Amino acid sequence: MAAAATERPRRLLHGFVSPELCKELEFVHRSCGTVGYRPSVFSTTLPHLAATNCAHLILPFLPLRDRLKDTVEDLFGCEFELFVEFTGLISWCKGACIGWHSDDNKPYLRQRDFAAVCYLNSHEKDFNGGLFHFKDGEPSSIAPTAGDVVVYTADERNIHSVDEVTDGERLTLTLWFTRDSAHDEDTKLINLLSQRLLVEHIEPKPFLPLPASSSMYWLAQEKPGFDVRCARVSILGYDFFPSEGKCGTDDSPCDPVELLDGRLYLGRGDEVLDKEFVNSLHALQVVQFCCWKAAELATEREVHRAGSIRPTVLKRSNNLELLVPCDYKLGEAILGGTSRHDPNPSFSWDDLVLGIARWEEYMSELHRKLLILIPYWLSNHTLSFVDATELL
């Protein structure tokens, strides 16, 4: 096996990730992601999820993470030798690219031995450009297709590049593996999660997100730039509106960026849903969830049209939109999407109200499983997937 790995230091695996998981991880990224490490790149890491009270959203990653580790160990003949060094969702948007390099090409990256890149959406369907190239050997070029995975050694045998993305959002789940236990991602994550057990209290909804620093959501490659939370809700046709009494006064105006961290409303056109969200991340997660589950929500609404769904209460916006200094056109250009106020004939506030309830059920169930799993991870010193019902 080791000899074969030397001859073929890379493999392309078709259909490794299910379509359902691709969409679920897309939801996680578009509702939690921050500005990344390169221009027009956005990322969602597991430590970031833990730090923003979204540790329960780590759970969908784990079965795939375990399968990838086992697959890499088997393909490259290093069974039981590897640790996961990094796990993250990374999207490359318009203008993003990278030239020839290996993944261990910096002193602080020397610990990386193998890489796995899972494509969560498809070239020429969800984005243009963004082809992956190896400098030598086969396959020489890869057109990303949702569900496919490319695994390769992180050294100079696999120098590679990514073409510039010209439109849309190219989304991957990227993992690096190491033989050096000092760089084991699990150890750091378990320490973070153990702190959660210490502070867990009787919040009625302990899964509600807490935004990171506003600077982590601000892309400023051009002035004035944009807040990725505002841009993503805008692309879906919504605006943020401040909670009553939080708009400041003429003598003491409020900072609209700071208001994104507090209670607010969602509006669409000249209507605002009479539902207060705890912060912008909460509202963003709900609308992205509704986007992910749109077909199911519409079907459920039709089935229960007789009146079991609580009527939606709307109020006029009265021009109280939260005026964040956000270049929405730049956000659309970078992230992709339709016009900010493009009418959506299929939109229904009832779907959003239903989506809020289903989002809470989804998050609550993940949170319940997380609290069961954390003690198991602490005792086993590894963040592996286990059916939570088996631990009860």
Side-chain angles (χ1 to χ4, degrees), residues 120-179:
L120 303 183
N121 59 6
S122 298
H123 176 252
E124 293 188 337
K125 177 183 176 184
D126 303 296
F127 62 91
N128 292 307
L131 296 179
F132 185 104
H133 303 285
F134 286 109
K135 196 168 186 178
D136 301 297
E138 295 294 334
S140 58
S141 296
I142 297 172
T145 299
D148 288 357
V149 176
V150 58
V151 296
Y152 54 90
T153 61
D155 56 21
E156 68 280 354
R157 288 178 293 170
N158 280 305
I159 293 174
H160 58 279
S161 67
V162 177
D163 289 347
E164 180 177 341
V165 175
T166 58
D167 184 55
E169 186 170 17
R170 175 189 188 271
L171 180 58
T172 64
L173 171 65
T174 300
L175 289 85
W176 281 289
F177 302 93
T178 179
R179 291 185 174 90

Side-chain angles (χ1 to χ4, degrees), residues 98 101-106 109-110 112 114-117 132 152-156 158-160 174-176:
I98 188 169
H101 69 287
S102 64
D103 287 348
D104 67 349
N105 66 343
K106 304 289 184 184
L109 302 178
R110 296 299 186 204
R112 291 180 175 173
F114 302 97
V117 178
F132 185 104
Y152 54 90
T153 61
D155 56 21
E156 68 280 354
N158 280 305
I159 293 174
H160 58 279
T174 300
L175 289 85
W176 281 289

Side-chain angles (χ1 to χ4, degrees), residues 58-134:
I58 292 175
L59 268 60
F61 291 78
L62 298 185
L64 175 57
R65 193 171 177 263
D66 288 350
R67 285 179 60 215
L68 286 166
K69 179 174 174 290
D70 291 345
T71 298
V72 170
E73 287 182 332
D74 180 56
L75 288 175
F76 295 102
C78 48
E79 287 82 357
F80 310 112
E81 293 182 16
L82 298 184
F83 304 89
V84 180
E85 188 250 2
F86 173 89
T87 308
L89 296 165
I90 302 174
S91 65
W92 296 58
C93 299
K94 185 176 181 179
C97 62
I98 188 169
W100 296 114
H101 69 287
S102 64
D103 287 348
D104 67 349
N105 66 343
K106 304 289 184 184
Y108 57 87
L109 302 178
R110 296 299 186 204
Q111 72 278 0
R112 291 180 175 173
D113 292 302
F114 302 97
V117 178
C118 310
Y119 297 111
L120 303 183
N121 59 6
S122 298
H123 176 252
E124 293 188 337
K125 177 183 176 184
D126 303 296
F127 62 91
N128 292 307
L131 296 179
F132 185 104
H133 303 285
F134 286 109

Side-chain angles (χ1 to χ4, degrees), residues 28 32 45-62 189-190 192-197 200 206-210 285 363 366-371 373-374 377 383:
V28 173
C32 300
T45 66
L46 302 194
H48 173 75
L49 290 174
T52 53
N53 206 43
C54 296
H56 46 281
L57 288 175
I58 292 175
L59 268 60
F61 291 78
L62 298 185
L189 284 169
I190 289 170
L192 282 172
L193 295 172
S194 66
Q195 296 170 24
R196 183 187 181 106
L197 273 185
E200 188 67 30
F207 49 80
L208 291 173
L210 297 172
Q285 287 190 7
M363 295 296 183
L366 287 179
H367 181 264
R368 183 189 69 82
K369 291 179 179 178
L370 177 70
L371 295 184
L373 289 167
I374 290 176
W377 293 334
L383 203 69

